[in-house]
Amino acid sequence: MKKNLLYIALAFSMLINVAVLCVLLKGNISSTTKEEESPKEVSSFADYNKRQTAAENAVRRYVCENLYYPNSYDPVSTKVDSVFYNYLTDEDCVKAAFELIDLRKSYEFAKYTYDENVNNIKVFGGSGVFRDHTINRDKAAAVMKDLKPKIEKREAIIKNRDSSMDGKFFGWQVIHRYRASNSNGVVSFGDVLYVLDPEMNQYYFRYSLEENDNKNLKTIKRVIEELLGTYVDD
């Protein structure tokens, strides 16, 4: 009797072990299947040719939107590279730099007018027929007073920019050179840099690379770097 009970206990124990083993195996297979079914994220532009073609199509669209004769557009070169977050992709920082160029220019003109009229007052006087010298001096002084806090505000935005995102992948930079006809029908070259989103569906920034543009990338970069204390003269 005892011997039979022992056999029954052993059989029951084996059944429990088999059941537990089946559950464990089922769990492992399910996990493996889910891992195999979960696709790994791969950039749609990891392939050079796809990336290049997408960039060329994107800049063609953006450039032609601003051409007087879109049909005259003739691409010369297109260089694509990844871009990471920095002060030139910081919207607030870049906007402040663009505005600073205009504000500083207005301030310099007002200061020139102020200094000129101060000198005229010393030489000719500022009353009677020369009263305009005093009026112009005071107007220029008022303009300078109005512009100063605006300039300081933009400078503070750049100096105190949030750099916590610096170094993170931001998208693609596309340096593009092209030929096109202007409003007079004269063919000329254009040089521009676009910062595109990761899928190249839109551009975040457009920078001119032309030397005669007073708001080109080189100028914007210098304005920001001088305030950040990182500017090095070439």
Side-chain angles (χ1 to χ4, degrees):
M1 183 68 179
K2 290 182 179 180
K3 189 175 183 180
N4 290 336
L5 289 173
L6 180 60
Y7 285 149
I8 293 171
L10 288 173
F12 184 70
S13 176
M14 289 177 65
L15 285 173
I16 293 175
N17 289 334
V18 170
V20 171
L21 182 60
C22 288
V23 172
L24 290 174
L25 287 174
K26 184 178 179 181
N28 287 336
I29 291 171
S30 298
S31 299
T32 303
T33 303
K34 288 179 180 178
E35 288 176 2
E36 290 175 350
E37 290 177 352
S38 178
K40 294 181 179 179
E41 292 186 7
V42 178
S43 172
S44 57
F45 298 122
D47 179 78
Y48 169 81
N49 291 326
K50 288 183 179 180
R51 182 169 67 248
Q52 185 69 23
T53 300
E56 290 173 357
N57 290 336
V59 295
R60 174 189 291 272
R61 184 168 68 255
Y62 301 139
V63 169
C64 287
E65 286 176 353
N66 298 303
L67 291 180
Y68 197 87
Y69 295 109
N71 292 334
S72 69
Y73 169 79
D74 180 24
V76 177
S77 64
T78 305
K79 298 178 181 179
V80 190
D81 199 0
S82 54
V83 62
F84 299 88
Y85 195 84
N86 61 81
Y87 56 83
L88 287 173
T89 58
D90 182 332
E91 185 176 4
D92 292 336
C93 186
V94 172
K95 181 182 178 182
F98 271 98
E99 293 175 347
L100 262 178
I101 292 173
D102 290 333
L103 290 170
R104 286 175 172 176
K105 184 177 181 181
S106 296
Y107 187 90
E108 289 171 4
F109 180 76
K111 188 176 187 306
Y112 172 82
T113 302
Y114 177 86
D115 291 341
E116 182 181 43
N117 282 280
V118 167
N119 290 330
N120 287 337
I121 291 171
K122 290 179 179 178
V123 176
F124 304 106
S127 60
V129 294
F130 299 113
R131 179 166 172 72
D132 282 351
H133 296 158
T134 301
I135 295 174
N136 292 336
R137 180 202 63 188
D138 294 344
K139 284 183 178 179
V143 171
M144 291 167 63
K145 183 179 180 180
D146 178 65
L147 289 173
K148 189 173 181 180
K150 294 179 180 178
I151 291 173
E152 291 174 346
K153 180 180 178 181
R154 273 69 178 184
E155 290 178 341
I157 290 174
I158 295 174
K159 289 179 180 179
N160 302 318
R161 65 172 293 268
D162 181 6
S163 60
S164 62
M165 293 285 290
D166 285 7
K168 293 186 178 181
F169 178 68
F170 190 72
W172 307 96
Q173 67 171 27
V174 184
I175 298 175
H176 186 57
R177 183 173 175 80
Y178 63 93
R179 282 183 290 261
S181 300
N182 60 22
S183 58
N184 296 319
V186 178
V187 177
S188 60
F189 286 95
D191 295 281
V192 65
L193 183 152
Y194 283 97
V195 177
L196 309 181
D197 75 306
E199 298 303 320
M200 296 192 189
N201 291 325
Q202 62 178 323
Y203 71 88
Y204 295 133
F205 300 93
R206 177 191 181 281
Y207 289 110
S208 170
L209 299 178
E210 298 178 20
E211 289 294 330
N212 61 349
D213 190 337
N214 70 333
K215 291 184 180 178
N216 60 22
L217 177 61
K218 185 177 180 180
T219 303
I220 296 297
K221 188 171 180 285
R222 178 169 181 168
V223 168
I224 296 174
E225 288 183 349
E226 283 180 342
L227 289 168
L228 294 177
T230 60
Y231 177 73
V232 178
D233 196 4
D234 296 334

